[in-house]
Amino acid sequence: MISRTERVAPRLPLASTPEVSTPNRPTVAEAPKPFARDTFEGASAVQRTAQVAAAPAGDHGKLMSEYLTGARPPPADFKQVMGYEPYQIQTKHGPRMQDPFGDASAPGKIGPDKEFDPAAKTHDYGYDLLRYYAKKGTPLAPEARKAADAQFRKDLFDYANDQKGFGDKWKFKTWAQIYATAVELNSLRQGYGPP
């Protein structure tokens, strides 16, 4: 035989002295508030994991600049997702984070690809950050890619301006303009999204 008992409202603890009820204070225990529903209900696995590693809110151009200059460490699972750990170098113009597998990918290796290699490795890390956040389901805003391209342009021209002779400065500035413009036109063509 099964017997059911009716639910009874919780009792208030007995006090040793009588209390006077005031209008601002409830005389009965308030019922507990229900828990918030799971926000992942109906979401795919990618959407659920994206919430964990979502791109930080705010200015994504500034975020990219912080990543590239080492002011912000890589995302915690960047190595696991992208397959490498970026490293930092010190340049005359400040620290730069690098993709160890990156390089200046000029068609036919024309131009000063070896001289521009440090700028290219930083730029490649920036593009890998764009890919990382896209894989996580929270792509960065177009400002992030624009900031990566702007850092690349700055680093190329810093290298050119650091040269001693007029001829070398002119040569490297010309190549810096060619490399930077090619990258920027490609970004425009791709809508400033992940490459």
Side-chain angles (χ1 to χ4, degrees), residues 10 27 33 72 99 118 140 151 153 163 166 171-172 192:
T27 56
K33 295 183 180 177
R72 179 182 292 261
D99 170 358
L140 296 175
Q151 186 67 58
R153 175 178 281 279
Q163 301 308 304
F166 173 79
K171 175 180 92 172
F172 285 110
Y192 297 103

Side-chain angles (χ1 to χ4, degrees), residues 78 83-87 97-103 117 121 124-125 128:
F78 183 86
Y84 73 90
E85 188 170 340
Y87 64 94
M97 296 299 290
Q98 303 272 282
D99 170 358
F101 306 109
D103 65 351
D117 196 57
K121 287 181 186 235
D124 287 352
Y125 171 55
D128 282 343

Side-chain angles (χ1 to χ4, degrees), residues 73-115:
D77 62 343
F78 183 86
K79 181 179 180 181
Q80 177 186 359
V81 173
M82 299 306 294
Y84 73 90
E85 188 170 340
Y87 64 94
Q88 188 178 73
I89 64 165
Q90 185 63 41
T91 71
K92 286 174 66 173
H93 305 281
R96 298 288 183 270
M97 296 299 290
Q98 303 272 282
D99 170 358
F101 306 109
D103 65 351
S105 54
K109 293 292 184 186
I110 60 169
D113 60 322
K114 287 181 182 53
E115 292 86 346

Side-chain angles (χ1 to χ4, degrees), residues 7-146:
R7 289 193 176 195
V8 179
R11 294 184 182 181
L12 293 175
L14 296 174
S16 58
T17 59
E19 289 186 3
V20 176
S21 178
T22 60
N24 293 339
R25 188 169 177 186
T27 56
V28 292
E30 293 182 15
K33 295 183 180 177
F35 292 103
R37 295 188 65 105
D38 186 358
T39 58
F40 296 136
E41 189 173 301
S44 70
V46 172
Q47 290 168 325
R48 289 192 301 272
T49 57
Q51 298 301 323
V52 175
D59 181 354
H60 287 175
K62 181 180 177 197
L63 175 72
M64 179 61 75
S65 294
E66 289 173 353
Y67 277 132
L68 297 181
T69 59
R72 179 182 292 261
D77 62 343
F78 183 86
K79 181 179 180 181
Q80 177 186 359
V81 173
M82 299 306 294
Y84 73 90
E85 188 170 340
Y87 64 94
Q88 188 178 73
I89 64 165
Q90 185 63 41
T91 71
K92 286 174 66 173
H93 305 281
R96 298 288 183 270
M97 296 299 290
Q98 303 272 282
D99 170 358
F101 306 109
D103 65 351
S105 54
K109 293 292 184 186
I110 60 169
D113 60 322
K114 287 181 182 53
E115 292 86 346
F116 288 166
D117 196 57
K121 287 181 186 235
T122 297
H123 190 248
D124 287 352
Y125 171 55
Y127 275 21
D128 282 343
L129 285 164
L130 295 170
R131 292 180 190 104
Y132 165 84
Y133 280 110
K135 284 183 178 186
K136 292 303 222 171
T138 57
L140 296 175
E143 290 73 30
R145 185 161 178 173
K146 290 176 185 177

